[in-house]
Amino acid sequence: MAQVRVTVDGVQYVDEVEPRMLLVYYLRERLGKTGTVVGCDTSNCGACTVALNGRSVKSCAVLAVQVDGGEVTTIEGLARDGQLHPVQKAFTECHALQCGFCTPGMIMQAVDLLGDNPDPDEREVREGIEGNLCRCTGYQNIVRAVQSAAQAMKPGVPAETPATAAGVTP
Amino acid sequence: MTTTAEPTTREFGKSRTRKEDARLITGRTRWTDNITLPGMLHLALVRSPVAHARITGVDADEARALPGVVAVYTAADLGLAEASLPNAWPITPDQKAPAAPPLAVDTVHFAGDGVAVVIARDAATARDATELVVVDYDDLPPVLNMEEALADGATLLHPGLGTNASAHWVFDSGEAGTGGSAKAAIAAAENDPDAIVVRRRFRQQRLIPAFMEPRSVVVDPSGEQLTMWSATQIPHILKTLAAAVTGLPEHKLRVIAPDVGGGFGGKLQVTPEEILVLAASVKLGKPVKWTETRSESLVSAHHGRDQIQDITIAARRDGTVLALDVDLLADMGAYLRLVTSGIPILGAFMFNSIYKFPAYRFACTNVFTSKTPTDAYRGAGRPEATFAIERIMDELAVELGREPLELREQNWIKHEEFPFTTVCGLEYDSGDYEAATAKAKDLLGYDALRSEQQERRDRADPVQLGIGISTFTEMCGLAPSRVLGSLSYGAGGWETASIRVLPFGKVEVVTGSSAHGQGHETAWSQIVADRLGVPFEDIEVLHGDTQISPKGMDTYGSRSLAVGGIAVVKASEKVVAKARTIAAHLLEAAEDDLEFSGGRFGVRGTGKGVTIQEVATATWAAHDLPEGVEPSIDADATFDPGNFSFPHGTHLAAMEVDTETGRVSIRAYVCVDDVGNALNPLLVEGQVHGGLAQGIAQALFEEANHDEQGTLVNGTFVDYTLPSAADLPSFTTDRTETPSTTNPLGVKGVGEAGTIASTPAIVNGVLDAIRHLGVTDVEMPCTPQRVWRAIQAAQGRATQEPPVDTHSPGAGLGSIDPNNPQEEEVQ
Ligand code: FES
Ligand code: FES
């Protein structure tokens, strides 16, 4: 057993974990952060993506002990003060999810991508989320959502973009 | 009153964003694997690494000794040695079906077949312990090739059956009286100088559904009823059949499908694992969970497609089609699962597609091989049929020197000919192939692309252009129960809905459909909002739990809206009828004098009225109801469709092929689908996008490959190459709307359309780009290597055989940098 001290979604935890425990299982099974999911066993699908110290990582490719002293943000901690993150909003407005299983990872990856490149073109979005598989959407609306979130996040655009009337897209 | 503002506009046709999203984008989801119960144990399977072998010994001592391991069981230990997983579709009276125990009893029949289960206090220990179970195998020869499996002297996978053929099923329009004899018409055409006969063999490779959420099962044996949570598309069917398989009384089992992460037919199954978790939980008296790993999923969850198609078409030299003859070999894999045997039959009535064939014959032989069982995968039989007919129409066009779209139009059903009874005896409800095609041509810039194609050919451009065409139809809304009965399917095709109006006017809609990404909560709310005149937000849709939604036939076969949605309409109508009686009483008016609109019963010609919410409250209080009227306006309805619906569309793919590297890219993809009236265009478009991705993946990327020992060689996401965002383009999608005449909403079905239509469009496009080089076929998936080899062969240049079939790993377009083609891809 090894000790890990980590802040997850703003809450600090100190836990004894088995050295072989992967971060994703620590999040899911020890902390109950079941919003982050496991889609594969080869680190290919990206369903488990979270932010570690501000950068996206596949939490199935990181050991829990490796995040000692670090800060993790999962999909459950992305909304702030009851306000959805612009990427979350864009995902629903653009119908960028169907079953929603890939969605937590996809959103976390998109947030990371926009941190690097605030105004990506279609190709850049597609390449930026290449490590996250979605079987439902064909990616088209995901690409649209990421680009639309980029617009919403531009400096000067009020964070409180009113949701389109009654949840209906134009 | 607690009612919110009355809705002012019609919900039908509105692109509503989804109410299910709020929980999915914040991680507030209930996947089966999230469930943790006190004292819960974890199950893992010991799976056979070999395809075909006798089990001569199972030694679990070391596994049992591992701390944390609670038990190791074989089928006999669980009382399941005699149990058999169900096959619900005996397609012929003499269909041969082997016993399909949840764990292999003395022989394993595919690599991945379960041999024993380990139960431990945590999942990692259970998995570790599976490695310690020593199973001795006496190898038997694998059965891998369908034609060899049918030859005399072949190794028999199930010797007790005396053959590797499960069934032979034939439809002949001559015998059925729905058309002429195809054999006779083809024979006549062969001797007629004014006619032509074209024969081709196509291969439908084996695919893996690869839903993103791995399967998971939890069973809790405490309480009066056993509760099973499963990542399934079919909680109701599962309840009925799990009870039948285990001998548990059906009223003692509750099945819950919580949030389910995709299915695509892959979760339309009664799985060995569901039965094993159930049996182990009962035996131990403790909750038990099993969640598969992805690698386990790829090898053990059922596969799809896998057919060899021999297609013969006869036509007059003027292009008029005369007959179609289809001979299929369909790979069942090792066992018949739930509808394995029926999948090719779902395609049997679709090969003739939109064309007016006077004679048609379909024959299919279902064959056992020592591979993972096949079963439904998005489209289930219809993609296979559509691929074959759309490929052979192109071949016919080539043979006749005709423009392929014109040849299609010459033969398709014209819009004024609907309803049209096909050579299979199906009545197509409605359609307008001309309109969809005109729109698609326009969106693609068809004529300009044809000119560009010619220019590129003329100047021998290394990158050639092809236009792939697929004008398709499909049958949706599975299914009229009498049709299922006539095909010997084991159940009906109806769907149910109940509507409960709560005391203060909020509404609960209970549906037998079981969504796993489709957006039923949104769509059904839209239907009910229109029918009852209550706000969209005031409606809650409940599903996927046999205790809440006690009856249902679940979700598959593009049936939910066209069948389940109609049940919702019918239940709504009953609610309004019941409410009308009470409203009339409250208003002291005659029922006939009431008009219902916008959620309010008004007395014609007066300002008097009462809302449906007020009626609900009054009904709940029940202080003042008309004599003999029950205090409820709730209602149930069950809808059995009178006919299928037949969506259609025209898909056009502009494909570029680099003749020097074999690299294929999609320059433009246009589709115009006609799915009848669109309840929610946003959801329709999403379904089309996702469907296209899966159909294109079959054409270009995916195949489950086996080595000579019968082991799946690309059984992880490293090498089973699902397309990523970088592998796909943006699609241009549009619609025409020809209302269905088989249901009151005029809706058809959309879940499978994109998958069904796109595969042949892509392959036809690839071939159209390189046919002038002498290439006549490229097997799917059309990887750079295969395309390059086909070009080399057509040009008479020798190529070196690759040492192993490496086409699948890394074959995706996205894995190849266009600016830096990797030479090893084409060596
Ligand atoms: S679970 Fe698939 S990449 Fe982490
Ligand atoms: S929404 Fe289902 S996998 Fe992406």
Side-chain angles (χ1 to χ4, degrees):
Chain A
M1 287 291 177
Q3 198 187 62
V4 56
R5 181 183 289 269
V6 59
T7 302
V8 180
D9 297 335
V11 177
Q12 209 184 59
Y13 299 87
V14 183
D15 272 306
E16 296 292 323
V17 297
E18 266 195 67
R20 72 167 179 174
M21 181 173 249
L22 296 170
L23 175 58
V24 68
Y25 291 109
Y26 175 68
L27 293 172
R28 286 180 56 79
E29 291 168 8
R30 297 293 288 278
L31 306 189
K33 294 276 175 188
T34 50
T36 302
V37 295
V38 179
C40 74
D41 47 6
T42 50
S43 298
N44 285 92
C45 76
C48 62
T49 305
V50 299
L52 171 61
N53 301 327
R55 293 315 312 255
S56 70
V57 294
K58 292 181 173 175
S59 63
C60 72
V62 177
L63 294 168
V65 291
Q66 286 177 287
V67 306
D68 189 36
E71 181 165 355
V72 172
T73 306
T74 77
I75 189 71
E76 295 172 55
L78 197 58
R80 286 285 149 85
D81 309 323
Q83 287 301 312
L84 292 178
H85 188 282
V87 174
Q88 288 173 307
K89 258 192 218 161
F91 264 61
T92 187
E93 279 162 10
C94 298
H95 185 34
L97 59 148
Q98 290 179 29
C99 79
F101 195 78
C102 71
T103 308
M106 202 63 91
I107 288 177
M108 295 311 291
Q109 183 58 25
V111 169
D112 188 69
L113 165 67
L114 293 176
D116 277 350
N117 181 351
D119 193 14
D121 65 21
E122 178 180 345
R123 202 23 43 198
E124 288 167 336
V125 174
R126 287 185 179 274
E127 278 163 11
I129 58 169
E130 196 178 14
N132 290 66
L133 296 174
C134 174
R135 194 57 153 171
C136 295
T137 63
Y139 304 103
Q140 186 153 335
N141 287 343
I142 294 178
V143 174
R144 209 155 62 84
V146 176
Q147 290 191 296
S148 123
Q151 293 315 307
M153 287 163 73
K154 281 229 170 100
V157 177
E160 275 316 283
T161 353
T164 335
V168 178
T169 60
Chain B
M1 297 268 45
T2 60
T3 54
T4 39
E6 280 199 3
T8 47
T9 51
R10 212 163 103 91
E11 288 287 337
F12 196 103
K14 202 184 262 186
S15 279
R16 274 255 181 216
T17 55
R18 304 194 316 169
K19 43 168 73 172
E20 16 312 67
D21 289 357
R23 65 178 190 274
L24 296 168
I25 57 173
T26 52
R28 212 159 35 78
T29 28
R30 279 191 202 151
W31 310 111
T32 302
D33 186 52
N34 294 359
I35 294 165
T36 303
L37 299 169
M40 191 167 81
L41 302 172
H42 297 261
L43 180 146
L45 277 93
V46 178
R47 295 187 185 274
S48 170
V50 295
H52 191 198
R54 209 161 288 124
I55 302 166
T56 55
V58 178
D59 179 353
D61 289 350
E62 217 186 317
R64 285 198 182 95
L66 191 71
V69 169
V70 173
V72 180
Y73 295 135
T74 61
D77 299 331
L78 290 170
L80 294 172
E82 303 296 319
S84 190
L85 293 162
N87 172 249
W89 200 341
I91 58 168
T92 59
D94 60 352
Q95 168 177 291
K96 296 198 167 46
L103 288 173
V105 176
D106 46 29
T107 306
V108 292
H109 295 101
F110 71 97
D113 216 350
V115 176
V117 294
V118 175
I119 291 124
R121 291 182 56 191
D122 65 275
T125 304
R127 274 205 275 280
D128 286 349
T130 62
E131 309 273 324
L132 302 176
V133 177
V134 181
V135 183
D136 292 319
Y137 296 102
D138 228 348
D139 281 350
L140 295 165
V143 181
L144 299 174
N145 173 300
M146 284 192 278
E147 288 178 302
E148 288 169 14
L150 295 176
D152 284 344
T155 301
L156 295 182
L157 192 64
H158 302 286
L161 304 180
T163 169
N164 286 322
S166 172
H168 184 68
W169 193 93
V170 180
F171 173 83
D172 186 319
S173 66
E175 285 165 20
T178 51
S181 157
K183 288 274 185 220
I186 289 165
E190 251 157 348
N191 295 314
D192 181 349
D194 287 330
I196 181 173
V197 175
V198 179
R199 292 193 162 81
R200 293 288 184 271
R201 166 170 278 209
F202 303 126
R203 209 172 65 90
Q204 288 284 325
Q205 79 271 34
R206 179 175 274 254
L207 300 177
I208 305 181
F211 33 75
M212 286 309 297
E213 181 208 15
R215 297 173 302 160
S216 180
V217 185
V218 174
V219 174
D220 181 0
S222 64
E224 188 51 38
Q225 291 189 316
L226 284 166
T227 304
M228 175 190 283
W229 289 263
S230 182
T232 180
Q233 293 174 231
I234 53 161
H236 298 94
I237 295 173
L238 176 58
K239 170 185 158 126
T240 304
L241 293 179
V245 170
T246 56
L248 199 71
E250 58 183 342
H251 61 303
K252 292 294 182 189
L253 180 61
R254 170 188 189 184
V255 175
I256 302 172
D259 284 328
V260 176
F264 317 110
K267 290 175 179 166
L268 197 193
Q269 194 55 270
V270 176
T271 66
E273 295 84 3
E274 284 158 339
I275 303 302
L276 293 168
V277 175
L278 178 59
S281 157
V282 169
K283 192 172 170 85
L284 293 164
K286 288 271 181 229
V288 175
K289 179 197 276 188
W290 166 78
T291 299
E292 68 186 353
T293 64
R294 175 58 58 182
S295 312
E296 194 179 10
S297 184
L298 293 174
V299 75
S300 65
H302 71 246
H303 293 177
R305 315 279 192 266
D306 209 342
Q307 294 183 352
I308 296 172
Q309 310 177 309
D310 285 308
I311 312 292
T312 308
I313 190 169
R316 280 207 290 273
R317 289 207 171 266
D318 73 359
T320 312
V321 295
L322 295 170
L324 184 68
D325 183 51
V326 174
D327 248 304
L328 293 189
L329 294 179
D331 193 339
M332 305 288 98
Y335 303 103
L336 299 184
R337 293 289 193 235
L338 188 59
V339 286
T340 302
S341 40
I343 299 303
I345 311 310
L346 283 171
F349 306 115
M350 285 284 105
F351 281 84
N352 53 304
S353 189
I354 63 172
Y355 308 111
K356 293 183 278 187
F357 282 98
Y360 172 63
R361 179 181 165 279
F362 169 95
C364 176
T365 304
N366 285 350
V367 186
F368 291 113
T369 63
S370 49
K371 295 183 191 169
T372 304
T374 58
D375 207 313
Y377 174 49
R378 203 168 192 169
R382 291 156 291 160
E384 295 90 319
T386 303
F387 181 84
I389 184 65
E390 288 305 293
R391 283 283 296 107
I392 200 91
M393 289 305 280
D394 260 27
E395 296 295 314
L396 180 64
V398 168
E399 296 290 337
L400 292 172
R402 291 283 303 276
E403 210 292 328
L405 255 182
E406 280 172 27
L407 179 74
R408 284 172 169 81
E409 177 152 17
Q410 177 180 348
N411 287 293
W412 74 42
I413 304 156
K414 304 296 176 296
H415 68 273
E416 66 274 9
E417 293 174 309
F418 288 93
F420 183 90
T421 303
T422 73
V423 72
C424 296
L426 289 182
E427 189 186 278
Y428 287 5
D429 51 347
S430 64
D432 190 339
Y433 309 144
E434 296 90 320
T437 302
K439 202 167 190 178
K441 280 178 76 173
D442 203 41
L443 286 168
L444 184 73
Y446 186 84
D447 297 329
L449 276 179
R450 281 281 179 223
S451 314
E452 182 185 334
Q453 177 182 40
Q454 194 53 50
E455 282 162 30
R456 289 209 195 187
R457 280 190 192 171
D458 293 346
R459 62 169 193 264
D461 194 315
V463 178
Q464 287 292 317
L465 177 65
I467 304 177
I469 300 165
S470 172
T471 52
F472 82 105
T473 189
E474 55 157 334
M475 49 191 237
C476 282
L478 303 185
S481 297
R482 71 186 155 76
V483 174
L484 293 177
S486 72
L487 292 171
S488 313
Y489 180 67
W494 43 262
E495 194 50 87
T496 68
S498 326
I499 294 182
R500 310 196 285 240
V501 188
L502 303 183
F504 300 115
K506 301 283 193 278
V507 176
E508 288 176 342
V509 179
V510 178
T511 172
S513 304
S514 192
H516 41 282
Q518 290 83 352
H520 294 169
E521 291 164 35
T522 300
W524 283 200
S525 297
Q526 289 181 273
I527 294 175
V528 173
D530 275 348
R531 298 279 154 168
L532 299 189
V534 299
F536 175 83
E537 295 76 14
D538 286 1
I539 300 163
E540 194 78 3
V541 177
L542 307 173
H543 60 87
D545 178 343
T546 61
Q547 216 164 61
I548 289 168
S549 153
K551 268 176 71 182
M553 280 293 173
D554 307 315
T555 287
Y556 44 85
S558 303
R559 70 188 303 271
S560 292
L561 181 55
V563 187
I566 305 306
V568 173
V569 170
K570 302 272 179 199
S572 307
E573 286 168 355
K574 288 187 186 175
V575 168
V576 172
K578 289 174 84 172
R580 178 185 296 274
T581 304
I582 295 169
H585 178 78
L586 296 175
L587 294 166
E588 296 175 334
E591 277 189 50
D592 288 348
D593 291 338
L594 297 188
E595 54 190 7
F596 182 62
S597 128
R600 182 173 181 273
F601 294 95
V603 183
R604 231 175 253 113
T606 75
K608 279 204 325 182
V610 60
T611 66
I612 194 161
Q613 292 92 340
E614 286 163 341
V615 173
T617 309
T619 308
W620 176 68
H623 297 163
D624 178 23
L625 296 181
E627 205 47 42
V629 168
E630 65 170 352
S632 166
I633 58 170
D634 298 350
D636 297 343
T638 302
F639 176 69
D640 197 339
N643 188 5
F644 299 94
S645 65
F646 296 88
H648 69 86
T650 297
H651 289 222
L652 300 174
M655 303 297 298
E656 289 186 337
V657 178
D658 185 329
T659 57
E660 290 170 355
T661 63
R663 180 174 181 271
V664 170
S665 64
I666 304 170
R667 177 160 133 188
Y669 194 100
V670 166
C671 61
V672 176
D673 284 285
D674 194 323
V675 298
N677 296 332
L679 167 57
N680 182 327
L682 190 67
L683 301 193
V684 166
E685 206 189 8
Q687 286 292 319
V688 171
H689 290 164
L692 292 176
Q694 286 181 21
I696 291 169
Q698 175 171 17
L700 296 178
F701 306 117
E702 294 178 20
E703 174 169 18
N705 291 310
H706 294 76
D707 62 19
E708 315 79 89
Q709 280 79 45
T711 314
L712 179 68
V713 295
N714 48 351
T716 72
F717 270 175
V718 175
D719 36 27
Y720 189 83
T721 47
L722 301 194
S724 78
D727 294 322
L728 294 169
S730 281
F731 313 112
T732 304
T733 60
D734 208 333
R735 286 183 294 110
T736 54
E737 283 197 18
T738 314
S740 173
T741 54
T742 62
N743 65 68
L745 292 177
V747 295
K748 295 191 169 179
V750 67
E752 296 160 299
T755 304
I756 290 171
S758 59
T759 312
I762 296 288
V763 176
N764 279 339
V766 170
L767 286 169
D768 189 50
I770 54 178
R771 209 182 271 276
H772 66 289
L773 301 174
V775 176
T776 55
D777 197 15
V778 179
E779 261 189 19
M780 295 188 290
C782 301
T783 58
Q785 190 183 101
R786 282 193 174 163
V787 171
W788 182 82
R789 278 179 191 288
I791 296 169
Q792 298 306 307
Q795 303 278 298
R797 292 194 284 262
T799 61
Q800 217 184 322
E801 272 307 307
V804 282
D805 189 356
T806 53
H807 70 261
S808 207
L813 296 188
S815 64
I816 295 168
D817 178 354
N819 302 316
N820 180 24
Q822 293 164 9
E823 284 311 309
E824 60 269 31
E825 280 294 324
V826 294
Q827 68 193 330

